[in-house]
Amino acid sequence: MEALQELLGAGEGSLWAMFVVAFLAATVLPIGSEPLLVALVRLDPGRLAAIVAVATIGNTLGGMTSYAIGRGAARMAPAVEGSRAARWLRRFGAPALLLAWAPVGGDLLCVLAGFMRLSWWQSALWMLLGKLARYWVLAQGVALL
């Protein structure tokens, strides 16, 4: 545990690491931010709120990057109106992005939201709420251990 503390540090560097990892995890890169969040909360439970806030902001901005990629692709690619995911997203709209945190399909939802030109601010809001809820529940669970 001491080696992990030295590696992550207890200062602002650990929050920057959380931001970068959370951002990258919300893109199409196959990494997860949860292990780092768990480690940081276990190392410094007094900073739980800051860790969750930084992870949420980074993950939401990563999701919005995926949204922007989808929006850009909409100009170049043919419409995907007939796909099951598009029909589902059209039915529920931006609130479906509460599930943008999901490990399977969450990133695709963000890209598809941009592709379908859903409102960017509504998409960002629903992404933020879903990601905040996920990180908060996980961090609270770790803090109870």
Side-chain angles (χ1 to χ4, degrees):
M1 192 63 139
E2 289 178 33
L4 184 61
Q5 284 177 312
E6 285 182 36
L7 178 65
L8 294 175
E12 297 306 311
S14 61
L15 291 178
W16 278 109
M18 183 75 255
F19 178 86
V20 170
V21 170
F23 179 90
L24 293 174
T27 65
V28 294
L29 295 177
I31 63 171
S33 56
E34 294 82 5
L36 181 57
L37 182 117
V38 167
L40 291 176
V41 170
R42 291 202 34 111
L43 288 173
D44 195 356
R47 293 184 3 156
L48 184 143
I51 294 164
V52 168
V54 167
T56 300
I57 292 167
N59 208 244
T60 300
L61 289 174
M64 288 306 293
T65 301
S66 295
Y67 172 95
I69 290 168
R71 190 137 184 163
R75 294 185 189 109
M76 300 179 294
V80 292
E81 301 297 319
S83 75
R84 181 195 296 178
R87 287 191 310 267
W88 188 80
L89 193 54
R90 191 177 308 103
R91 178 178 177 199
F92 294 104
L97 293 170
L98 277 172
L99 299 175
W101 62 267
V104 177
D107 298 335
L108 176 61
L109 276 177
C110 297
V111 172
L112 193 55
F115 190 89
M116 294 177 64
R117 299 188 167 280
L118 295 183
S119 165
W120 72 268
W121 71 268
Q122 288 179 5
S123 296
L125 174 67
W126 289 105
M127 269 187 232
L128 181 116
L129 292 174
K131 292 168 184 287
L132 174 62
R134 181 259 324 256
Y135 282 130
W136 187 255
V137 168
L138 179 61
Q140 289 296 320
V142 170
L144 292 174
L145 295 178

PDB file of all heavy atoms in Angstrom, residues 100-113:
ATOM      1  N   ALA A 100     -24.588   6.562 -19.980  1.00  0.00           N
ATOM      2  CA  ALA A 100     -23.306   6.743 -20.668  1.00  0.00           C
ATOM      3  C   ALA A 100     -22.145   6.183 -19.862  1.00  0.00           C
ATOM      4  O   ALA A 100     -21.075   5.949 -20.392  1.00  0.00           O
ATOM      5  CB  ALA A 100     -23.077   8.222 -20.968  1.00  0.00           C
ATOM      6  N   TRP A 101     -22.335   5.945 -18.579  1.00  0.00           N
ATOM      7  CA  TRP A 101     -21.291   5.385 -17.727  1.00  0.00           C
ATOM      8  C   TRP A 101     -21.117   3.881 -17.940  1.00  0.00           C
ATOM      9  O   TRP A 101     -20.099   3.320 -17.553  1.00  0.00           O
ATOM     10  CB  TRP A 101     -21.617   5.631 -16.256  1.00  0.00           C
ATOM     11  CG  TRP A 101     -22.890   4.970 -15.827  1.00  0.00           C
ATOM     12  CD1 TRP A 101     -24.127   5.527 -15.818  1.00  0.00           C
ATOM     13  CD2 TRP A 101     -23.057   3.612 -15.394  1.00  0.00           C
ATOM     14  NE1 TRP A 101     -25.052   4.613 -15.392  1.00  0.00           N
ATOM     15  CE2 TRP A 101     -24.418   3.420 -15.131  1.00  0.00           C
ATOM     16  CE3 TRP A 101     -22.179   2.547 -15.201  1.00  0.00           C
ATOM     17  CZ2 TRP A 101     -24.927   2.210 -14.690  1.00  0.00           C
ATOM     18  CZ3 TRP A 101     -22.691   1.339 -14.756  1.00  0.00           C
ATOM     19  CH2 TRP A 101     -24.042   1.179 -14.504  1.00  0.00           C
ATOM     20  N   ALA A 102     -22.097   3.240 -18.537  1.00  0.00           N
ATOM     21  CA  ALA A 102     -22.079   1.776 -18.648  1.00  0.00           C
ATOM     22  C   ALA A 102     -20.859   1.298 -19.425  1.00  0.00           C
ATOM     23  O   ALA A 102     -20.505   1.863 -20.457  1.00  0.00           O
ATOM     24  CB  ALA A 102     -23.357   1.291 -19.326  1.00  0.00           C
ATOM     25  N   PRO A 103     -20.214   0.250 -18.923  1.00  0.00           N
ATOM     26  CA  PRO A 103     -19.006  -0.238 -19.586  1.00  0.00           C
ATOM     27  C   PRO A 103     -19.265  -0.774 -21.000  1.00  0.00           C
ATOM     28  O   PRO A 103     -18.429  -0.649 -21.864  1.00  0.00           O
ATOM     29  CB  PRO A 103     -18.498  -1.357 -18.682  1.00  0.00           C
ATOM     30  CG  PRO A 103     -19.414  -1.439 -17.533  1.00  0.00           C
ATOM     31  CD  PRO A 103     -20.523  -0.467 -17.710  1.00  0.00           C
ATOM     32  N   VAL A 104     -20.415  -1.340 -21.219  1.00  0.00           N
ATOM     33  CA  VAL A 104     -20.725  -1.861 -22.554  1.00  0.00           C
ATOM     34  C   VAL A 104     -21.792  -0.961 -23.174  1.00  0.00           C
ATOM     35  O   VAL A 104     -22.916  -0.904 -22.701  1.00  0.00           O
ATOM     36  CB  VAL A 104     -21.242  -3.321 -22.477  1.00  0.00           C
ATOM     37  CG1 VAL A 104     -21.623  -3.824 -23.858  1.00  0.00           C
ATOM     38  CG2 VAL A 104     -20.213  -4.219 -21.830  1.00  0.00           C
ATOM     39  N   GLY A 105     -21.410  -0.227 -24.183  1.00  0.00           N
ATOM     40  CA  GLY A 105     -22.366   0.599 -24.903  1.00  0.00           C
ATOM     41  C   GLY A 105     -22.432   2.046 -24.481  1.00  0.00           C
ATOM     42  O   GLY A 105     -23.007   2.866 -25.189  1.00  0.00           O
ATOM     43  N   GLY A 106     -21.860   2.408 -23.351  1.00  0.00           N
ATOM     44  CA  GLY A 106     -21.926   3.786 -22.891  1.00  0.00           C
ATOM     45  C   GLY A 106     -21.226   4.752 -23.839  1.00  0.00           C
ATOM     46  O   GLY A 106     -21.750   5.820 -24.160  1.00  0.00           O
ATOM     47  N   ASP A 107     -20.036   4.372 -24.288  1.00  0.00           N
ATOM     48  CA  ASP A 107     -19.300   5.228 -25.223  1.00  0.00           C
ATOM     49  C   ASP A 107     -20.045   5.357 -26.548  1.00  0.00           C
ATOM     50  O   ASP A 107     -20.104   6.433 -27.138  1.00  0.00           O
ATOM     51  CB  ASP A 107     -17.896   4.674 -25.474  1.00  0.00           C
ATOM     52  CG  ASP A 107     -17.059   4.618 -24.212  1.00  0.00           C
ATOM     53  OD1 ASP A 107     -17.335   5.400 -23.284  1.00  0.00           O
ATOM     54  OD2 ASP A 107     -16.134   3.796 -24.153  1.00  0.00           O
ATOM     55  N   LEU A 108     -20.633   4.264 -26.984  1.00  0.00           N
ATOM     56  CA  LEU A 108     -21.409   4.286 -28.228  1.00  0.00           C
ATOM     57  C   LEU A 108     -22.603   5.223 -28.109  1.00  0.00           C
ATOM     58  O   LEU A 108     -22.928   5.944 -29.057  1.00  0.00           O
ATOM     59  CB  LEU A 108     -21.877   2.874 -28.593  1.00  0.00           C
ATOM     60  CG  LEU A 108     -22.773   2.770 -29.825  1.00  0.00           C
ATOM     61  CD1 LEU A 108     -22.038   3.268 -31.058  1.00  0.00           C
ATOM     62  CD2 LEU A 108     -23.241   1.345 -30.021  1.00  0.00           C
ATOM     63  N   LEU A 109     -23.250   5.230 -26.956  1.00  0.00           N
ATOM     64  CA  LEU A 109     -24.369   6.153 -26.740  1.00  0.00           C
ATOM     65  C   LEU A 109     -23.941   7.605 -26.931  1.00  0.00           C
ATOM     66  O   LEU A 109     -24.659   8.398 -27.542  1.00  0.00           O
ATOM     67  CB  LEU A 109     -24.949   5.995 -25.334  1.00  0.00           C
ATOM     68  CG  LEU A 109     -25.977   4.904 -25.101  1.00  0.00           C
ATOM     69  CD1 LEU A 109     -26.363   4.882 -23.630  1.00  0.00           C
ATOM     70  CD2 LEU A 109     -27.194   5.096 -25.967  1.00  0.00           C
ATOM     71  N   CYS A 110     -22.775   7.950 -26.423  1.00  0.00           N
ATOM     72  CA  CYS A 110     -22.277   9.320 -26.547  1.00  0.00           C
ATOM     73  C   CYS A 110     -22.010   9.673 -28.007  1.00  0.00           C
ATOM     74  O   CYS A 110     -22.400  10.748 -28.477  1.00  0.00           O
ATOM     75  CB  CYS A 110     -21.007   9.505 -25.723  1.00  0.00           C
ATOM     76  SG  CYS A 110     -21.257   9.284 -23.953  1.00  0.00           S
ATOM     77  N   VAL A 111     -21.357   8.773 -28.720  1.00  0.00           N
ATOM     78  CA  VAL A 111     -21.079   9.000 -30.140  1.00  0.00           C
ATOM     79  C   VAL A 111     -22.388   9.114 -30.915  1.00  0.00           C
ATOM     80  O   VAL A 111     -22.571  10.014 -31.737  1.00  0.00           O
ATOM     81  CB  VAL A 111     -20.186   7.875 -30.722  1.00  0.00           C
ATOM     82  CG1 VAL A 111     -20.058   8.002 -32.233  1.00  0.00           C
ATOM     83  CG2 VAL A 111     -18.818   7.891 -30.060  1.00  0.00           C
ATOM     84  N   LEU A 112     -23.292   8.219 -30.631  1.00  0.00           N
ATOM     85  CA  LEU A 112     -24.576   8.209 -31.336  1.00  0.00           C
ATOM     86  C   LEU A 112     -25.398   9.460 -31.032  1.00  0.00           C
ATOM     87  O   LEU A 112     -26.070   9.997 -31.916  1.00  0.00           O
ATOM     88  CB  LEU A 112     -25.362   6.948 -30.975  1.00  0.00           C
ATOM     89  CG  LEU A 112     -26.576   6.614 -31.819  1.00  0.00           C
ATOM     90  CD1 LEU A 112     -26.230   6.538 -33.297  1.00  0.00           C
ATOM     91  CD2 LEU A 112     -27.174   5.300 -31.358  1.00  0.00           C
ATOM     92  N   ALA A 113     -25.325   9.963 -29.805  1.00  0.00           N
ATOM     93  CA  ALA A 113     -26.039  11.194 -29.450  1.00  0.00           C
ATOM     94  C   ALA A 113     -25.543  12.364 -30.303  1.00  0.00           C
ATOM     95  O   ALA A 113     -26.327  13.188 -30.770  1.00  0.00           O
ATOM     96  CB  ALA A 113     -25.876  11.507 -27.968  1.00  0.00           C
TER      97      ALA A 113
END
